[in-house]
Amino acid sequence: MLHKLKIVMTSGYFRLTTILFLSIIISSCGFFDPQEAPLDESSIINSNSTELTTRIKRDGAGVITISTPSTAKARQLSGIAEDDEPAGDEPFTRIANVLPPTYNGMILTASHVHVEGDLAYVAYNRMGPEYLGAIEIVDISDVYSPSIQSQIIFPAIDVSAVFVKDNYIYLAAARDRDQFNNVQTAAFLGRIQLLNGEFSTEMDILELPGFVATDIASNGESLFVTSGRDGQLSLVDIHNFQIVASTDIPDLRSVAVRNNTAVVLSGTNGTTFLNSTTLASVRNIPGVQDVPNAKRTIAFMNDYLLTSEGAQGAGVYNATNGDFIERIEIDQSPENVDATDIVTNAVSVTDDLLLMANGGAGLSILRKNGNAEFDRIGIAEIGGSSNYVQSEGQYIFAATGASGLQILRRESTQLPTNISCEGAITYSGSSWLNVNSGQNLAYTGAASLQGINVNEVLSFCGSLTVQQQLNLNSGSTFNMKGALAFGQYGTGTTMHINNGATLRVEGSLVIWGNLNLNSGATIEFVGAGSTVAVYGSVTKGNNVTITGNYTDAFGNL
C-alpha cells in the first residue's frame, strides 16, 4: 500500500502530517481510506546547519592507535615497555565525533550510513521499545571541517537503513501502529525527495509485511528491501515505487546485491542466494539461530561474501557459489563486558580491509593478504561499543552507541614526485623511532608510530601517523613525502621544530595538536599542491622560515 505524507511549517521547523493520497494495491490488503489517516505523525525538519554542526566534536580527533589484543593485555600487565611496542602499518586518524541527536531528552543511536559523493546520510533509531528515528545529512567535502547539513526527526518511526538515488532518499523503517489508524503493517519503505541537499516536504510510504523494514540495496534499476520477523524480501521498481516481486523469508536482517545475485541474511534461516530478477532461491547456507531483532549486515569483497554472525564472528563465503571458506572469530573478550555484548553486529569492506563492529569487543580491522587470507591488524582504540560500521573509500563511519558516530580516515599512500625515495626501506621497527646523531635513515610505506625523535636526518615516503611526540632537534632534518598526521586534538600534543632544524614536506601535513617553531626553525614545502592544517596553536620564535607553495587550511601557519 502506498500513501503520501506532507510536511508543513511549524514554529520555524517543518512538521510532517498526513494528507490525501493515492492508494495502490500491492497485495490483498485493500484500499486505504483517506479518512483513516495516522493520528499523530509529526516529523520535524531542521536545516539550520550552524546549529546542527555544534554536535560535531573534535575532542580526541587525530591519530588513533590500532592495538592488538596481545599488546593491550601486555599493557594491562605492564609486561611490555612502550619502546618495545612494534609500529603499526595501517595509519588511521579520527576526523570527528558526531554526537547523537536527541528528542525530548531521548538519545538516538546511529543505525546505518550511506555515502553518496561528499555526503553521508546517517540513519538513527532508538534502542528499546520507543519508536523514534532520524536521518541526517553530513557534508564531508571539507575533510578538515565536516558539517551537518540537514536533519529530519520521526517521533513515531524507527529508521533502520537509508539509500540515495537520483535525488531521492529511501528509508527502511517501522512505525508505531498505536499512533496510526488502520495501517496494515508496521514495516514500510519511505521515499523523500532531496532538494539542494535538504529534505523536501513530502514522503511516499510503501507498506511492507513484517514488524520492521531492516535494510536496502540497489542494482540501479530496482531496490531490494528486507523486512524482519514475518517479513519478506521485496523487489521494488525504483521508478514507479511499486513492488514487482517478493519472496517470504523470516527474520531478515540485511541484503546485498551484485550482478545477477541478491543475497539476504536471516536470523533464523542463515544466508540465501537468489536470482536478482525473479527472487528465485538459488542456494541456502543454514546459520545458527541469532539473537532476535539484532543488527546484522553483509558485504561483498571481490570473490568473497562476508556476513556478520553475532557471537560466531564473521562468516566468509564464496560470492559465486556460496561455499563456506572460513569463520573469523572475535579476537578479544574484554573484562567487565557482558558476553552477550561481544557480537559481530556489522561488517564492511574498503579496498583490502575488512572491518568488524564487534559490540563490546570494539572495532576490529583485518587485511586480506596475497594468499587470500585475512591478517588481523588490530582493534581501533576509539572507545564505546561498536554497534555498526560502514566504509566508503578512505572514510569509515563507526557507530559507538551513546558516544555517537566516529568518522575515521585511512590515510592515503599516494606519493608526490620531487623528494627522492631512493634507498628507502619499509619501516618495521618500534613504535618509538629515534634517529641518533650521525644517522641518515630513509623509510617507505605506511606506518603508525607513537613518537619520533630526530637528531640527524630522517626521510619517509608514504603515509605516516605519529600520535604522541614528534621532535626535530637542533640542526636535524625530516624529509616527508606523502601524508603526515600528528597528535590529537585537545590533549596537549605538540610538534617541536628546534633551532636550525628543517621539516621538508611534499604532500599533506595535518597537525591535530600544537606546533612549536623555535627560533631558527624552518618548514619547506616542496613542489606544488602541498597542504597543511594545524588544529591547535602555532607558536613561533624569531627568524622562523616557511617557504614553498602550499595551502593553509586554517590560515594559522
Side-chain angles (χ1 to χ4, degrees), residues 8 18 49-50 89 99 110 193 196 204-205 207 226 254 278 306 326 347 490 508 524-525 535:
V8 295
T18 306
S49 179
T50 301
D89 62 357
L99 295 180
Q193 189 174 14
N196 297 319
D204 299 318
I205 288 182
E207 288 191 333
T226 53
S254 186
T278 65
L306 301 124
E326 66 172 306
V347 294
S508 167
E524 178 185 345
F525 291 94
Y535 283 84

Side-chain angles (χ1 to χ4, degrees), residues 353-538:
L353 293 188
L354 164 62
L355 309 165
M356 296 171 58
N358 290 331
L363 177 64
S364 291
I365 302 174
L366 302 93
R367 184 171 56 216
K368 187 179 177 184
N369 63 31
N371 297 321
E373 299 170 336
F374 287 96
D375 297 326
R376 295 182 186 272
I377 302 302
I379 299 163
E381 294 189 0
I382 56 175
S385 179
S386 187
N387 302 327
Y388 175 78
V389 62
Q390 178 62 44
S391 58
E392 183 69 27
Q394 282 184 287
Y395 292 95
I396 297 167
F397 300 85
T400 51
S403 299
L405 182 72
Q406 314 285 337
I407 305 177
L408 312 180
R409 188 170 75 161
R410 185 187 190 189
E411 294 301 322
S412 172
T413 56
Q414 294 183 357
L415 299 182
T417 57
N418 290 353
I419 299 177
S420 173
C421 295
E422 185 177 352
I425 61 173
T426 301
Y427 184 74
S428 59
S430 164
S431 62
W432 292 84
L433 170 59
N434 187 61
V435 182
N436 295 315
S437 297
Q439 287 186 311
N440 187 336
L441 304 181
Y443 299 105
T444 188
S448 176
L449 306 182
Q450 292 299 309
I452 293 178
N453 188 49
V454 184
N455 289 293
E456 198 67 48
V457 178
L458 172 65
S459 298
F460 198 99
C461 297
S463 180
L464 177 64
T465 58
V466 183
Q467 187 179 66
Q468 297 186 42
Q469 176 181 305
L470 207 167
N471 294 329
L472 275 64
N473 294 319
S474 297
S476 65
T477 299
F478 182 11
N479 300 308
M480 181 66 214
K481 177 179 179 179
L484 170 63
F486 166 75
Q488 290 185 325
Y489 184 81
T491 63
T493 51
T494 302
M495 178 189 294
H496 296 278
I497 304 178
N498 290 303
N499 179 46
T502 299
L503 173 62
R504 188 172 291 117
V505 176
E506 183 183 2
S508 167
L509 171 63
V510 180
I511 301 173
W512 291 92
N514 306 314
L515 174 62
N516 180 34
L517 297 168
N518 285 323
S519 297
T522 297
I523 299 180
E524 178 185 345
F525 291 94
V526 180
S530 290
T531 60
V532 59
V534 182
Y535 283 84
S537 63
V538 177

Side-chain angles (χ1 to χ4, degrees), residues 20-213:
L20 187 65
F21 63 89
L22 175 64
S23 178
I24 301 176
I25 296 293
I26 301 301
S27 57
S28 57
C29 55
F31 284 94
F32 184 93
D33 184 350
Q35 302 303 316
E36 296 178 331
L39 293 175
D40 180 19
E41 205 167 13
S42 54
S43 295
I44 306 163
I45 289 179
N46 183 355
S47 296
N48 186 334
S49 179
T50 301
E51 172 190 309
L52 293 169
T53 301
T54 60
R55 293 193 355 259
I56 295 183
K57 303 298 182 182
R58 288 179 179 163
D59 298 339
V63 177
I64 62 172
T65 297
I66 308 298
S67 65
T68 64
S70 59
T71 301
K73 189 66 174 177
R75 281 180 188 159
Q76 275 187 342
L77 300 175
S78 300
I80 183 171
E82 265 190 339
D83 290 352
D84 294 332
E85 291 181 14
D89 62 357
E90 277 294 347
F92 282 87
T93 55
R94 171 164 34 196
I95 301 301
N97 177 27
V98 184
L99 295 180
T102 61
Y103 177 77
N104 286 345
M106 294 182 287
I107 300 174
L108 285 81
T109 301
S111 56
H112 188 261
V113 179
H114 174 80
V115 181
E116 194 75 19
D118 291 327
L119 299 177
Y121 300 84
V122 186
Y124 290 91
N125 59 24
R126 170 76 175 166
M127 302 293 288
E130 300 94 351
Y131 283 80
L132 176 61
I135 304 172
E136 292 189 325
I137 304 174
V138 180
D139 187 343
I140 54 174
S141 59
D142 182 353
V143 65
Y144 304 114
S145 299
S147 62
I148 302 174
Q149 188 169 302
S150 188
Q151 174 197 77
I152 183 168
I153 292 180
F154 304 98
I157 293 172
D158 278 344
V159 184
S160 303
V162 290
F163 177 78
V164 174
K165 173 74 173 176
D166 295 335
N167 291 319
Y168 281 94
I169 186 167
Y170 299 86
L171 52 149
R175 52 191 169 180
D176 184 354
R177 294 178 67 184
D178 292 339
Q179 301 297 321
F180 296 80
N181 273 341
N182 200 32
V183 297
Q184 300 296 322
T185 65
F188 73 91
L189 175 67
R191 179 178 68 176
I192 302 173
Q193 189 174 14
L194 297 170
L195 301 174
N196 297 319
E198 298 181 1
F199 299 100
S200 65
T201 57
E202 291 186 350
M203 178 168 68
D204 299 318
I205 288 182
L206 182 61
E207 288 191 333
L208 302 170
F211 288 91
V212 57

